[in-house]
Amino acid sequence: MSTPKPAGELLSVTGLRKHFPIRRGILQRQVGAVQAVDGLTFSVNRGETLSLVGESGCGKTTTGRLLTRLLEPTSGKIVLDGRDISHLSMSAMRPLRCDVQMIFQDPYSSLNPRHTVGTIVGAPFRLQKVRPENGVKRAVQDLLELVGLNPEHYNRYPHEFSGGQRQRIGIARTLALKPKLIVADEPVSALDVSIQAQVVNLLEDLQDEFNLTYVMIAHDLSVVRHVSDRVAVMYLGKIMEIADRTSLYERPMHPYTVALLSAVPVPDTSRRTRRERIRLQGDVPSPINPPVGCRFHTRCWKAQEVCKVEEPALAELAPGHRAACHFPENVGGSV
Amino acid sequence: MSHIPEDSLDSGAGLPFLQVRNLRVHFPTDDGVVKSVDDLSFSVERGKTLGIVGESGSGKSVTSLSIMGLHKEGAARISGEILLDGRNLVGMDREKVRLLRGKRMAMIFQDPLSAMHPYYTVGAQIVEAYRVHNKVAKQVARKHAIDLLARVGIPNPKSRVDDYPHQFSGGMRQRAMIAMALSCDPELLIADEPTTALDVTVQAQILDLIRDLQQEFDSAVVLITHDLGVVAELADDIMVMYAGRAVEHSTATDIFNSPQHPYTWGLLGSMPRLDRERSERLQPIKGTPPSLINVPDGCPFNPRCAYAGRNGDLSFTERPEFRDIGGGHHIACHLPTEDRHHIWDEEIRPKL
C-alpha cells in the first residue's frame, strides 16, 4: 500500500445528486423521484474527520453509500485521491475498495452469523487476493489485537460476542486492507453509553496511528462534536451548513443548526429551567416533494417571503464556515 | 366489562402511588437462572417522575413489564411486592390486573411501529383501549380519540384518526401511542425509552409533551432510558441500575451534581457533553456488563470498577448493602466514605 501523503484533499464531491425514481402502473412509468441527495459539494482532507449530521431522511446514509459507490449517483462527481469514481463499473471499482471501506451501524446484521471471526475479518484479503506477509491468519490475529479483541477468539462466531465487541470485529474487517477513507455510518449509535465511549476512543486511536480519513455519519450531536474536525449539517438532501467543529458549535449560523443544538438534552438539571429551547414544529417534509425556495422555510421561525421563493446559496460567511440561509445568525461578530 | 370496585384501600393518605418492595424477577433457562431484577425497591408519588437509568441488560425494562403484569405466565418467577395505590399486583389475578392496565397504569413503548397493530387504524386502536374500560358508544369513543390526538399535537386529527400506523411519521406514531396510553387518564405512566427511536428535534417535542401532560393529569411517571440527558430533562428522582439492582438512587440534582457510585461516575464520564468544553478523550468504563446468570461475587460492578479493593476484599466477597448515606441518597458501594469524597473531588469532578 502506498505511504500516506501528509496533507491535501483526499475526497472531493461536486454537485452530487441521487434521485430514486418512483414508478407506477403497468408500464412502470416514472411518476416522481425521491430526491434523497440533491446537490452536495464538499471535500475531505487527508487525516481529518468530516461528520454528516441531520435528522432521519436527510440523505446522510445515501451520501455514505454514494461515497463508497454502493449506489450510483444520478449526477455529480466524486473524486477520490485524484481519480473520478462517480460512474465506475463494479469491476473497475473493485480494486479501489482497498482504499474505501465502510463501518456499518448495526453490529448484529452486518456480520454473517455462519462465518467465524477469522473468516469475516480475513474476507477482504481473500476477495482482493492480497497475500499478507505472514499469512492471513496471522494478519487477522494482529487486526483483532489492534481493535482490542483477544486474537485467540479467531474461531468464534459473532453470536458469542457482545454488541461492542461485534462493532470491533466490523472495525477490524474495515482496517484489513489499510484503507485511506473510512465511511462510518452511525458506528456507535447501537451501543450502550459505556461501550460507545470505548469505540469512539478506539476510532480516534486508529486514526492517529494510520492517518485515516473518516466520513462519519451520525445523528448524536454530542458524539459528533467529540470526534469531528469539520461538520456538515444536512436537511432534505442538501447541506445547510458546513464548518469546522468549534465554529459550528460555538457560532452556528443556520437556524436549523441552532435548533438542532438547542434540542440536545444536556445532563444537567440546573439547565432545565434556564434553557431557552427552540421548538421546531412538525416533521421533516417529504423528499419527494421538497419545499421550493429554502427547504427549511416550512419549519423556520425566521422565514420570510424571500425564503419561499429563492433558494439561498451555500455561501462562505466566515473563513471556512459556509451556510445556506438568507438570514443567518451569528454573522459579523468576531471570528 | 365490569368496573373495578373501589375498595377501602384507597390510600391517598401520603402513601406513594407506586411502591415496589424487594422485587425479584428471575427467568429459569437451560443455562441457569437469569436474575434480571434482584431485590429492587423504589416508590413514585403522584405528580413526580422517577428516571431509571442503566445499560442494556440492567433490568430496567423487565421491571416495567412486571409492574404492568406483562410477563408471560410461567416464564418469569416474580416475588416481592408491587403496590399500586396500596394494592399488591404480584400474585393478583391476571384478569384483575388487566382491568387496572390501561385504566390506572399505562405504558409508552420504545418502538411505536412494533407496538401498534399494523392492520387497524390508529383511531380504532385508541377507541378499543377506551371502550374496554368505559361503557360508551363507538361515536363517543371516536370523539374522545380525536380529542386525544389533537391534545398530543397531531395535525388534522379528524382525518388522521382513520390513518394506519404506517401512514404516520415516527414522531407522530410516538404521539399516537402517547394518546393511546392516556385514553383513560392513567395515574401511573411508564415510558420505556420513549424517545430513543426519534430525532433530537422530535425528541424535544415528545419530552415537552410528556411533561405538560403530567402536570395536567398529576400522574406518576416512570421514565426508563439509557440517556442521562433525557432523564435530566424530566426526572425528579433518578435510580441507576446495574446488573438487576439499584446502585444509586437520589434526587436528580444529587445524581448530576454529587454522584457517589463509581458506576454513575463512569456513565457520566463516558458521554460527550455539549455543555462542557470538549475533552480530549472520553473516559469509558472498561469491560462489558456481566452475564445475569453468573453475576460476579461481591459487588457486581467490581470487575469494571477502578476503585474495587480499596476496602480489603469486601468488593469481591460481599454484596454491598443499598444504604442511605444521608438526605435520602442511597448507594450500594463498599468504598469508605472518606475515600469516596476524596475520589469524587480530586479525580472525577475535574474531568466531567
Side-chain angles (χ1 to χ4, degrees), chain A residues 17-31:
Chain A
R17 275 195 173 75
K18 178 67 191 178
H19 292 186
F20 294 98
I22 303 167
R23 299 181 194 279
R24 290 258 162 78
I26 304 169
L27 296 174
Q28 289 292 296
R29 280 226 294 245
Q30 184 174 341
V31 293

Side-chain angles (χ1 to χ4, degrees), chain A:
Chain A
M1 241 55 42
S2 64
T3 44
K5 289 162 230 168
E9 215 171 72
L10 176 67
L11 176 79
S12 102
V13 172
T14 331
L16 187 66
R17 275 195 173 75
K18 178 67 191 178
H19 292 186
F20 294 98
I22 303 167
R23 299 181 194 279
R24 290 258 162 78
I26 304 169
L27 296 174
Q28 289 292 296
R29 280 226 294 245
Q30 184 174 341
V31 293
V34 178
Q35 302 171 22
V37 172
D38 204 30
L40 296 189
T41 301
F42 62 87
S43 62
V44 188
N45 293 328
R46 274 171 221 283
E48 80 167 356
T49 303
L50 172 77
S51 290
L52 304 174
V53 293
E55 295 174 272
S56 38
C58 72
K60 49 193 198 302
T61 296
T62 306
T63 309
R65 291 181 170 258
L66 288 167
L67 297 182
T68 46
R69 279 302 320 281
L70 297 173
L71 288 171
E72 168 121 19
T74 310
S75 67
K77 219 166 135 184
I78 307 169
V79 178
L80 176 77
D81 213 4
R83 193 162 165 201
D84 186 346
I85 61 164
S86 4
H87 298 287
L88 286 187
S89 67
M90 274 281 255
S91 53
M93 191 61 209
R94 186 155 295 142
L96 289 174
R97 299 237 177 259
C98 291
D99 293 342
V100 193
Q101 288 283 324
M102 189 149 181
I103 300 172
F104 295 93
Q105 171 172 12
D106 183 358
Y108 292 85
S109 61
S110 58
L111 302 178
N112 189 333
R114 286 167 172 271
H115 285 178
T116 61
V117 171
T119 318
I120 291 170
V121 179
F125 296 120
R126 208 171 54 246
L127 293 172
Q128 294 285 353
K129 304 198 169 58
V130 173
R131 294 253 165 82
E133 247 173 74
N134 301 317
V136 172
K137 182 168 179 183
R138 186 63 206 276
V140 168
Q141 289 183 330
D142 288 348
L143 284 165
L144 290 179
E145 200 155 10
L146 185 68
V147 298
L149 291 171
N150 187 345
E152 311 273 299
H153 293 169
Y154 183 82
N155 277 323
R156 294 204 179 175
Y157 287 90
H159 74 262
E160 296 173 68
F161 295 90
S162 68
Q165 288 172 320
R166 284 175 195 228
Q167 199 57 300
R168 288 172 191 264
I169 298 172
I171 294 172
R173 172 174 64 185
T174 308
L175 291 175
L177 298 169
K178 306 235 167 9
K180 294 176 186 145
L181 175 70
I182 291 181
V183 177
D185 190 354
E186 304 268 12
V188 296
S189 61
L191 308 174
D192 274 317
V193 207
S194 69
I195 309 298
Q196 208 171 40
Q198 294 174 359
V199 173
V200 164
N201 282 349
L202 171 68
L203 287 172
E204 291 193 323
D205 292 345
L206 293 171
Q207 180 166 41
D208 292 346
E209 194 169 340
F210 299 106
N211 192 30
L212 295 171
T213 307
Y214 290 132
V215 172
M216 201 79 86
I217 295 161
H219 69 275
D220 184 331
L221 290 150
S222 332
V223 172
V224 165
R225 183 177 79 151
H226 189 83
V227 299
S228 323
D229 298 305
R230 286 194 304 140
V231 181
V233 179
M234 288 181 70
Y235 186 76
L236 277 179
K238 283 188 182 292
I239 291 179
M240 293 282 131
E241 182 162 8
I242 180 166
D244 63 86
R245 174 187 63 217
T246 327
S247 177
L248 188 106
Y249 279 84
E250 282 172 17
R251 293 179 295 281
M253 289 179 177
H254 200 285
Y256 180 59
T257 316
V258 176
L260 273 186
L261 288 174
S262 84
V264 176
V266 164
D268 185 350
T269 45
S270 58
R271 312 241 314 187
R272 206 187 297 182
T273 41
R274 267 195 286 136
R275 201 137 68 103
E276 188 96 351
R277 180 193 285 152
I278 299 153
R279 273 207 215 190
L280 282 188
Q281 297 301 320
D283 294 310
V284 184
S286 153
I288 299 173
N289 231 330
V292 283
C294 173
R295 295 198 164 184
F296 185 56
H297 83 253
T298 52
R299 298 171 82 195
C300 183
W301 67 98
K302 292 183 98 181
Q304 298 188 15
E305 278 310 310
V306 60
C307 304
K308 296 177 188 164
V309 196
E310 200 184 313
E311 190 177 331
L314 188 63
E316 186 153 1
L317 302 174
H321 195 140
R322 293 163 171 272
C325 181
H326 290 298
F327 306 101
E329 310 232 328
N330 293 319
V331 184
S334 57
V335 176

Side-chain angles (χ1 to χ4, degrees), chain B residues 23-181:
Chain B
L23 178 70
R24 286 193 164 81
V25 186
H26 293 180
F27 297 91
T29 66
D30 291 345
D31 297 325
V33 179
V34 179
K35 296 178 179 167
S36 292
V37 175
D38 214 19
D39 202 10
L40 186 70
S41 304
F42 64 89
S43 61
V44 196
E45 286 170 40
R46 275 201 178 82
K48 294 284 181 200
T49 302
L50 172 74
I52 303 184
V53 186
E55 293 178 88
S56 34
S58 61
K60 39 191 206 316
S61 291
V62 172
T63 308
S64 64
L65 291 178
S66 39
I67 296 171
M68 294 292 287
L70 290 175
H71 287 301
K72 244 193 211 155
E73 213 161 352
R77 290 209 305 254
I78 305 177
S79 67
E81 284 181 333
I82 299 171
L83 300 173
L84 185 80
D85 208 3
R87 269 179 300 178
N88 191 359
L89 301 182
V90 175
M92 190 189 266
D93 185 65
R94 289 182 79 83
E95 271 308 302
K96 280 192 182 156
V97 178
R98 201 170 94 94
L99 290 175
L100 292 174
R101 191 162 53 222
K103 175 116 184 110
R104 308 204 66 185
M105 52 182 186
M107 186 150 172
I108 303 169
F109 293 92
Q110 172 174 3
D111 178 7
L113 196 57
S114 52
M116 290 182 95
H117 202 299
Y119 194 74
Y120 295 98
T121 63
V122 171
Q125 298 183 49
I126 300 176
V127 164
E128 186 198 357
Y130 189 56
R131 290 189 76 218
V132 164
H133 298 286
N134 295 278
K135 281 199 163 160
V136 293
K138 266 193 187 153
Q139 280 314 308
V140 179
R142 184 181 154 87
K143 175 86 190 357
H144 184 68
I146 294 172
D147 288 348
L148 279 168
L149 289 178
R151 180 68 194 81
V152 297
I154 303 256
N156 290 325
K158 275 197 180 124
S159 61
R160 296 315 290 256
V161 74
D162 293 319
D163 278 357
Y164 290 91
H166 77 264
Q167 289 167 300
F168 277 32
S169 71
M172 276 162 66
R173 274 198 290 269
Q174 197 58 281
R175 284 164 191 271
M177 199 155 64
I178 292 175
M180 201 189 298

